[in-house]
Amino acid sequence: MGCIESRKIRKQNLEESIRAAIFIQKWFRRHQARQEMRKRCNWQIFQNVEYACEQDQAELYKFFNDLIKHMPQAAEAGNKSNSQRCSGLEKSGTLYEESGDMARIELTVPITKSHIDLLIDVFRKKRGNRLHPKYVCLILREAAKSLKQMPNLWMVSTAVSQQVTICGDLHGKLDDLLVVLYKNGLPSASNPYVFNGDFVDRGKRGLEVFLLLLSLYLAFPNAVFLNRGNHEDSVMNARYGFIREVEGKYPRNHKYLLSLIDEVYRWLPLGSILNNRVLIVHGGFSDTTNLDLIKSIDRGKYVSILRPPLMDGEALDKAEWQQIFDVMWSDPQASQGCKPNQLRGAGVWFGPDTTESFLKRHRLSYVIRSHECKPNGHEFMHDNKVITIFSASNYYAIGSNKGAYMRLNNQLVPHFVQYISAASQTKELSFKQRMGIVECAALKELAVRMREHRDELEEEFQKYDPDDSGCITIAKWCFVMESVTKLGLPWRLLREKLAPGTDSQSVNYIRTLDLLDTDVIMKAEADGTSVMDALYANKASLETIFNIIDADHSGEITLDEFEKAIDLLVAHMPGVYSKNEMLEKCRMMDLNGDGKVDLNEFLEAFRLSDLHRKEQQEEYLRKRSTTKSIISQHPSDSVTKLADKISKNMVLIEQDIDPTDCEAKDVGQRS
């Protein structure tokens, strides 16, 4: 009898143990699924907001393209100022002494390995890391003169080296570049590198990255190949931080230095071909991309890719311009076909069939490209025939992604090395803390983007809240968020973050608006640069628009010329303003009342418009601070806590860069 009872107890315990194990397994799987969902949601926020900002910038290209397309007489007559063709190397600039510490090193031509060692030692330090402006000029001038002699597509070979290393976007992340050089070694005849564009913007050390790469090229000219990316463009730099970085580091000499940087941009080759079998370009290609045509393009015309290169007596070849745009801006897609890239607003999405046709037509094995941040630093697509490589780790936030570089042997078999720089900043954090940092960074980016539409959001919310209760249904809140921002995000998942503390049946949209009005979000918005700021900062773009509208090239725009341009805009680029409203705005540009608008009046009108816009923003914020919101005078505790959390997680301590402070691992190859 005792044995039977014992067996029953053991059986019962076993069943309970199995049920407990199953329960723990289910809980763990649900936990893992939730964490994966959070990671994917954060990643989608980062990527969609980034692409939406680039789409804004690409609108400038569309604007130029449509103006030229529908005003062909202006394009054919050319740009009277001919400013695009004036070489920065032909200008002699006076250099002024800069205040503050300068590195006590001297550079001479030719640049050698010993100079590279000195530059790395200087740049990796937090203080005293600026070169004297004369040495910055020296590097830029020598690089431009040398790059000018190079073909549009570098021809790279592993015949001597038996291998080559390829790096993707660095985006001003000097720590990542130093990690790559530390782990993989300096360039040499036996250790060549291809750097695949987007060296600057977004990161704080873009100038140091750019100067170090150019110095590596000068020191090892047969072992360093630099491809141009879509951010090697002054119009992009005005929006994404590189111009402000140069102005901040060299306030007395930035204009001259930026003109030399433009000169380097215009002569950077457009891509590389490895062993005649692998194409390496920054973005990708389209179904009309022709490498023979790309090889024959006069790339020196394209100081900016977003601004058309109109010349005296020379019509713009729009097909040629499109060729460059497609290799700089395009992305692969899983579905078949080739279609305009609506997410970025420029370039195309190309499918597996487009890749297969392109490779067959040019007798290539596969394509290596960059241009897209990937969680693991690299990605295979199109039956492994398109490889994306991205070398900036912690790109969106600390812990957001790994960087990677790839090595190809003489059989062109890829091998990847993944890494995370500044590992000491995260290795003592728990997974939950790391996830919190990434999540807060994503929310901040999203909220800054939403602030651009704040008034429209409030207006749309109130349409669904006739009783001024401050609450609407979840479905209506999601509809408004998507219809206004057009970001394509999972708004239901984001509801608890963007309207914290609301119940499960409705959304208190006031909390969403209050979050957008917190100090941390407004400061982040103020630190950014709008399209209007970028356009005015890059006056050459406004000059080009002026010269296109000035059809008779008299140096003045008449109201008749304005009216013709407006007719084309209304017909082909319908917007929010009527023809009469736009014509009235044109009349307002005539500051001296002579019936014509010269270039100075045209530029001054944009300056005054931008100034008025900023004054309106400041007045709006003053009113917001002195009036009650619909429900309460102060943001809710949940909104305040979220804002504090975002603010605390954004704080990073700058220190000297230590390339050994990284986590890295080889991830083998994929056939």
Side-chain angles (χ1 to χ4, degrees):
M1 190 70 179
C3 291
I4 295 174
E5 287 295 326
S6 178
R7 281 197 296 270
K8 285 183 179 179
I9 292 172
R10 285 200 298 271
K11 184 178 179 181
Q12 184 179 355
N13 290 341
L14 180 61
E15 289 175 353
E16 289 178 354
S17 298
I18 292 172
R19 282 197 295 270
I22 292 172
F23 174 80
I24 293 171
Q25 187 181 57
K26 287 182 178 179
W27 176 87
F28 180 74
R29 286 176 176 173
R30 283 198 299 269
H31 173 74
Q32 291 292 89
R34 284 195 297 269
Q35 296 303 323
E36 182 64 25
M37 185 172 64
R38 286 175 64 189
K39 286 198 295 185
R40 292 188 181 189
C41 185
N42 292 335
W43 191 263
Q44 191 174 358
I45 292 172
F46 282 131
Q47 196 167 62
N48 287 18
V49 170
E50 178 184 10
Y51 290 172
C53 292
E54 287 197 342
Q55 186 181 76
D56 290 345
Q57 204 65 19
E59 287 297 325
L60 182 60
Y61 156 74
K62 288 183 178 179
F63 177 69
F64 282 132
N65 200 30
D66 283 342
L67 274 181
I68 292 168
K69 180 179 179 181
H70 301 295
M71 298 183 70
Q73 74 281 1
E76 290 169 5
N79 185 340
K80 182 185 177 189
S81 68
N82 199 28
S83 60
Q84 296 269 358
R85 209 50 177 164
C86 183
S87 171
L89 295 177
E90 297 168 3
K91 300 176 183 176
S92 58
T94 302
L95 292 178
Y96 303 96
E97 286 297 322
E98 298 280 1
S99 60
D101 294 336
M102 292 284 169
R104 296 181 179 179
I105 66 169
E106 293 186 4
L107 297 180
T108 57
V109 177
I111 302 293
T112 64
K113 181 181 179 300
S114 61
H115 293 130
I116 299 297
D117 293 335
L118 285 173
L119 286 174
I120 290 175
D121 186 56
V122 167
F123 287 165
R124 61 178 290 271
K125 294 177 180 177
K126 179 183 175 183
R127 298 185 181 278
N129 55 20
R130 287 188 305 165
L131 293 182
H132 192 282
K134 68 180 179 182
Y135 298 131
V136 178
C137 289
L138 181 147
I139 294 171
L140 294 172
R141 282 180 167 276
E142 291 300 312
K145 285 191 290 185
S146 179
L147 289 167
K148 187 176 181 178
Q149 310 305 316
M150 298 299 110
N152 289 347
L153 296 176
W154 301 94
M155 303 308 293
V156 185
S157 173
T158 60
V160 174
S161 62
Q162 303 298 302
Q163 61 92 39
V164 64
T165 300
I166 300 160
C167 295
D169 299 35
L170 288 163
H171 277 302
K173 298 295 293 297
L174 180 65
D175 49 356
D176 291 303
L177 175 56
L178 296 186
V179 167
V180 173
L181 296 177
Y182 166 74
K183 288 194 62 62
N184 201 58
L186 288 177
S188 67
S190 61
N191 189 30
Y193 281 82
V194 178
F195 293 94
N196 200 26
D198 278 15
F199 314 128
V200 301
D201 277 338
R202 294 198 171 97
K204 296 181 179 180
R205 307 295 297 279
L207 184 59
E208 288 81 6
V209 168
F210 196 49
L211 292 175
L212 183 53
L213 288 175
L214 294 177
S215 300
L216 287 168
Y217 164 69
L218 292 171
F220 312 104
N222 299 314
V224 175
F225 305 91
L226 305 176
N227 294 342
R228 187 173 185 176
N230 67 309
H231 278 264
E232 277 66 67
D233 188 309
S234 58
V235 175
M236 295 293 285
N237 297 163
R239 176 76 186 276
Y240 292 101
F242 185 51
I243 286 180
R244 277 187 297 169
E245 179 189 339
V246 177
E247 289 174 347
K249 291 174 179 176
Y250 295 96
R252 302 194 66 196
N253 294 284
H254 69 271
K255 289 184 179 179
Y256 182 53
L257 295 182
L258 288 169
S259 71
L260 291 178
I261 288 169
D262 273 348
E263 192 65 23
V264 176
Y265 286 170
R266 79 194 309 171
W267 295 118
L268 281 170
L270 307 176
S272 305
I273 298 178
L274 175 60
N275 290 358
N276 292 315
R277 290 174 54 197
V278 177
L279 175 67
I280 308 169
V281 291
H282 180 70
F285 48 85
S286 71
D287 52 2
T288 62
T289 298
N290 185 319
L291 294 185
D292 291 330
L293 176 56
I294 288 175
K295 289 177 183 177
S296 66
I297 289 173
D298 175 12
R299 71 178 187 277
K301 294 188 297 186
Y302 296 91
V303 182
S304 167
I305 300 167
L306 287 167
R307 192 172 61 243
L310 304 180
M311 310 297 212
D312 281 341
E314 184 179 335
L316 172 67
D317 187 335
K318 292 187 283 291
E320 176 184 283
W321 190 20
Q322 188 66 48
Q323 290 279 322
I324 294 180
F325 232 91
D326 287 345
V327 299
M328 295 292 170
W329 281 83
S330 297
D331 296 303
Q333 63 177 1
S335 57
Q336 304 284 5
C338 183
K339 61 182 181 181
N341 191 328
Q342 301 294 344
L343 199 58
R344 288 190 190 269
V348 302
W349 276 308
F350 58 94
D353 55 335
T354 306
T355 295
E356 192 67 36
S357 175
F358 177 81
L359 295 177
K360 185 177 180 180
R361 187 165 66 250
H362 293 96
R363 298 179 181 179
L364 297 169
S365 298
Y366 58 90
V367 173
I368 298 171
R369 42 92 61 181
S370 302
H371 196 42
E372 290 182 285
C373 182
K374 299 298 178 182
N376 293 312
H378 67 93
E379 182 181 71
F380 286 88
M381 286 191 71
H382 298 177
D383 195 23
N384 299 343
K385 293 178 180 177
V386 172
I387 303 175
T388 298
I389 187 75
F390 194 88
S391 298
S393 69
N394 305 311
Y395 177 60
Y396 293 122
I398 288 290
S400 63
N401 68 286
K402 298 174 183 175
Y405 60 89
M406 63 185 296
R407 287 196 296 260
L408 300 178
N409 60 19
N410 57 359
Q411 299 301 312
L412 302 181
V413 177
H415 179 91
F416 298 92
V417 178
Q418 296 174 327
Y419 55 86
I420 297 178
S421 60
S424 62
Q425 295 190 42
T426 59
K427 64 183 179 182
E428 295 181 359
L429 299 177
S430 67
F431 175 82
K432 183 177 180 180
Q433 289 172 318
R434 291 198 297 271
M435 178 66 77
I437 290 174
V438 174
E439 198 164 60
C440 287
L443 287 174
K444 188 193 77 166
E445 293 291 329
L446 176 56
V448 170
R449 179 71 182 181
M450 287 166 56
R451 261 201 70 81
E452 298 175 15
H453 307 282
R454 191 212 176 283
D455 289 348
E456 190 178 352
L457 283 169
E458 184 170 20
E459 183 179 344
E460 291 299 311
F461 285 143
Q462 290 176 352
K463 286 181 181 178
Y464 294 102
D465 182 26
D467 299 329
D468 284 347
S469 66
C471 294
I472 58 177
T473 66
I474 296 172
K476 290 176 180 177
W477 182 85
C478 292
F479 174 77
V480 171
M481 293 297 287
E482 180 56 32
S483 62
V484 172
T485 66
K486 296 178 174 60
L487 288 174
L489 294 172
W491 297 109
R492 284 183 179 271
L493 293 177
L494 293 169
R495 176 182 64 90
E496 292 182 2
K497 297 296 182 184
L498 296 175
T502 54
D503 60 48
S504 59
Q505 302 302 317
S506 63
V507 181
N508 185 336
Y509 64 83
I510 299 300
R511 294 183 180 178
T512 302
L513 300 174
D514 283 343
L515 174 63
L516 304 186
D517 292 338
T518 55
D519 289 342
V520 63
I521 302 304
M522 288 195 294
K523 183 179 185 302
E525 182 194 35
D527 290 341
T529 306
S530 69
V531 174
M532 177 63 78
D533 294 330
L535 185 60
Y536 183 71
N538 201 297
K539 294 184 178 64
S541 296
L542 294 176
E543 291 176 13
T544 302
I545 294 171
F546 179 90
N547 287 313
I548 291 174
I549 298 175
D550 179 20
D552 62 0
H553 304 289
S554 63
E556 296 174 319
I557 300 176
T558 64
L559 286 178
D560 286 341
E561 288 173 327
F562 265 130
E563 189 166 4
K564 289 178 182 177
I566 290 170
D567 286 338
L568 290 168
L569 289 173
V570 171
H572 302 285
M573 300 172 64
V576 295
Y577 295 113
S578 68
K579 176 181 176 179
N580 289 336
E581 287 175 320
M582 286 193 283
L583 199 57
E584 181 58 31
K585 292 180 185 295
C586 293
R587 289 192 182 98
M588 292 170 64
M589 292 185 184
D590 180 16
L591 301 179
N592 62 5
D594 65 355
K596 299 176 182 179
V597 175
D598 61 23
L599 180 59
N600 288 333
E601 288 175 317
F602 190 73
L603 295 176
E604 180 66 5
F606 275 87
R607 188 188 72 82
L608 293 175
S609 175
D610 194 41
L611 183 63
H612 178 64
R613 179 179 61 85
K614 290 177 179 177
E615 288 174 348
Q616 282 185 319
Q617 285 181 338
E618 291 172 0
E619 179 64 22
Y620 165 77
L621 291 177
R622 281 195 295 270
K623 287 181 179 178
R624 286 287 302 174
S625 65
T626 57
T627 58
K628 280 189 174 184
S629 65
I630 296 174
I631 288 186
S632 62
Q633 186 171 358
H634 302 290
S636 67
D637 289 342
S638 56
V639 171
T640 302
K641 288 178 182 178
L642 178 58
D644 289 343
K645 184 178 178 183
I646 291 174
S647 181
K648 289 176 183 176
N649 280 323
M650 293 299 103
V651 177
L652 293 175
I653 300 173
E654 285 195 41
Q655 54 192 6
D656 290 352
I657 295 173
D658 179 5
T660 65
D661 180 18
C662 65
E663 294 177 358
K665 67 174 181 176
D666 292 5
V667 292
Q669 63 193 40
R670 183 166 173 178
S671 58

